[in-house]
Amino acid sequence: PGSGSFRRAYLILCFFAVVLVLAFAGTNWDNPGSGSGLAAAGPTGDGATDWADSPDSSGDLAALEAVLAAAEKGEERERAPAKPAVSRAEDGPEEEGDLERPPPPTKTTAAPKAAKKKKKVAPKASPSDALDFTQPQHVCPGSPTTKSLGQGAPRQNKEVLYRILEKLGDGEVPETTTDMKLIKSGNFGFTKIECPFLTRDCASEKTYTGRQAAQKMKQTGAKWNETAQNFVDLKPGSLGSCALIGNSENMLKYNFGAAIDAHDTVIRHNTPIGKYARHVGKKATIVWVKGTYKGGGSASASMAYLLPKNVDELPKNFKKNGKPILIRGIGAKPLDKTKRLLYYLQGANLRRKHPTGGYSRPLNIIASKLCTRVDLYGFGSRNSSGKYFKKSAKVRPAHMMSFEHWTFRFMMSKGKLCVYGE
């Protein structure tokens, strides 16, 4: 049978056929009054027996109900739409009594946020506690450099370099800068630097520096003593706390101006200040004159001008802009030789590499003992750096800026000076 209705009708017809056969088979043809003939199929009075009550027909009725029930179930199965296969991997284990699961919530994609514009970072300002420079040298107020001592460190002769640098912090230089075998062995002594600057005391003929200066001027005795009175009268420690200002463009990263001006003495080049004052300060106690810098705004020295000249090249009145002139003394010569020795020990070919002029200036200031402390600003560590007032004026390849900066940081680690900026 092709459909449920046809099957059901077919089963019913089959059932009635069976009933008829049984009815005829069970009729007592010999006793027509027994009531078991066809007439007994209907009501016959009080003693009439219905098919439902007849013990002989009860089993047949149950069979009919079972057949009909099976037919109905088969029909329902045909009518019911086929269920899609359930993926266990997607829906997970089925539990008894689970209700139909709601569809998973759809994820909504948030609209992309507009890119935030980078705010221009202001240079770091000097906190108020960074202005106290009355503290001892081993204390570096404010924000000194945090650059690692591993950067720019020497590749060879380390112990010898460590020893020389520590002694330079005390104002001493090696007794020899030419005997390389002795120097590399480490078995050499040191000597105190005398008069890196020609002050009034150093101009005395009692000192080697004074005698050399008098000879240069071709003067002796009273005449020289009179000339010596023109030099700045500076004693050890008389400059107090000193800030030595370099020209590196790293100055623009910080607002060091207030901290610099908080020092007793500010030593700077004749470089522009003007619009850079918040980075480099305004104060100028001693101005180190070096060539001519464009840009204007250079501060006037309140105490003295430091000139790169010999004593016999100075003006007759020994003044510049009405202020005394300070020059380097003969004691600066050993420092010049020592800085070249440091380059050599680092492995530099001195025919191709040589120290910057600014490398010896902190060493001169430290050796002079004129300052109670020395703080460096604007000394760069990269050859790619320019000057704060002219970024295109890059450092020459002949200089080893990373090594020079490392030597200052090493001396800082020994409490000999403080370095600000990188």
Side-chain angles (χ1 to χ4, degrees):
S3 66
S5 300
F6 180 80
R7 188 188 299 117
R8 185 175 182 182
Y10 176 77
L11 291 173
I12 293 172
L13 289 173
C14 289
F15 174 76
F16 280 109
V18 171
V19 171
L20 289 173
V21 171
L22 292 176
F24 279 102
T27 302
N28 188 354
W29 298 104
D30 295 333
N31 186 10
S34 63
S36 45
L38 289 175
T44 56
D46 294 338
T49 303
D50 193 10
W51 283 107
D53 298 328
S54 172
D56 292 333
S57 63
S58 60
D60 299 330
L61 183 60
L64 175 61
E65 291 175 350
V67 171
L68 291 174
E72 288 177 359
K73 287 182 180 179
E75 188 175 354
E76 289 175 2
R77 280 196 297 270
E78 287 184 1
R79 290 175 184 170
K83 292 184 180 180
V86 178
S87 172
R88 295 290 184 187
E90 293 178 2
D91 293 349
E94 187 176 315
E95 295 184 8
E96 187 178 356
D98 278 353
L99 297 176
E100 184 180 354
R101 297 180 183 178
T106 56
K107 294 182 179 179
T108 55
T109 305
K113 294 181 180 179
K116 291 183 178 179
K117 291 183 179 180
K118 282 189 176 181
K119 292 183 179 179
K120 191 174 181 181
V121 179
K124 299 175 184 178
S126 299
S128 57
D129 62 349
L131 305 181
D132 182 12
F133 294 99
T134 61
Q135 302 178 73
Q137 182 68 78
H138 69 272
V139 178
C140 297
S143 304
T145 179
T146 57
K147 199 176 184 73
S148 167
L149 278 177
Q151 295 179 273
R155 301 183 298 270
Q156 58 190 29
N157 303 311
K158 295 181 181 180
E159 295 303 322
V160 177
L161 283 165
Y162 297 160
R163 189 176 173 216
I164 293 174
L165 289 170
E166 196 161 359
K167 287 292 186 179
L168 278 173
D170 296 329
E172 298 181 20
V173 291
E175 288 178 330
T176 178
T177 57
T178 56
D179 190 342
M180 291 299 109
K181 186 176 180 180
L182 180 63
I183 289 172
K184 288 183 179 181
S185 71
N187 298 320
F188 58 92
F190 291 84
T191 183
K192 278 276 186 186
I193 298 173
E194 180 194 74
C195 298
F197 297 106
L198 189 59
T199 61
R200 189 175 300 175
D201 286 347
C202 285
S204 169
E205 288 187 286
K206 295 179 181 179
T207 68
Y208 178 71
T209 299
R211 291 192 296 272
Q212 290 293 315
Q215 186 178 348
K216 196 80 173 174
M217 290 289 291
K218 299 178 181 180
Q219 295 179 1
T220 57
K223 178 64 175 173
W224 173 246
N225 289 336
E226 182 183 348
T227 299
Q229 298 305 306
N230 292 293
F231 299 117
V232 186
D233 186 17
L234 294 175
K235 310 289 184 184
S238 62
L239 293 180
S241 60
C242 294
L244 180 58
I245 316 305
N247 300 326
S248 174
E249 67 175 287
N250 70 22
M251 293 289 283
L252 301 177
K253 296 179 181 178
Y254 311 91
N255 287 338
F256 280 143
I260 289 170
D261 290 344
H263 287 76
D264 298 318
T265 299
V266 177
I267 305 169
R268 64 170 77 247
H269 291 102
N270 56 317
T271 50
I273 291 178
K275 62 182 180 180
Y276 307 107
R278 66 190 177 111
H279 305 293
V280 304
K282 298 178 181 178
K283 191 173 182 178
T285 314
I286 299 174
V287 172
W288 206 309
V289 180
K290 180 187 175 185
T292 302
Y293 293 107
K294 294 181 179 180
S298 176
S300 300
S302 61
M303 178 185 288
Y305 287 92
L306 205 159
L307 303 183
K309 295 181 178 292
N310 293 320
V311 65
D312 58 336
E313 298 173 335
L314 298 179
K316 290 183 179 180
N317 64 352
F318 293 93
K319 301 219 183 261
K320 178 178 174 62
N321 297 336
K323 299 294 181 183
I325 293 173
L326 190 62
I327 63 171
R328 293 201 304 163
I330 197 68
K333 296 292 183 183
L335 284 169
D336 291 339
K337 294 179 180 179
T338 300
K339 69 179 184 180
R340 290 178 64 83
L341 173 62
L342 294 174
Y343 258 54
Y344 175 80
L345 291 172
Q346 158 68 350
N349 182 343
L350 295 182
R351 293 180 180 178
R352 298 180 180 178
K353 300 286 185 181
H354 59 87
T356 61
Y359 190 26
S360 60
R361 282 165 197 146
L363 304 179
N364 285 317
I365 297 295
I366 291 171
S368 72
K369 303 294 184 183
L370 297 176
C371 302
T372 56
R373 65 175 295 131
V374 177
D375 299 316
L376 306 186
Y377 296 85
F379 285 76
S381 62
R382 297 179 298 138
N383 277 66
S384 59
S385 293
K387 300 186 185 300
Y388 71 82
F389 52 89
K390 188 178 181 181
K391 293 183 180 180
S392 61
K394 303 296 182 185
V395 179
R396 294 177 183 176
H399 303 315
M400 298 165 59
M401 301 307 297
S402 180
F403 173 67
E404 290 189 15
H405 199 271
W406 173 83
T407 61
F408 295 142
R409 298 199 312 276
F410 178 84
M411 295 175 75
M412 181 172 76
S413 72
K414 300 300 179 181
K416 308 300 181 181
L417 52 75
C418 292
V419 182
Y420 295 85
E422 299 168 3

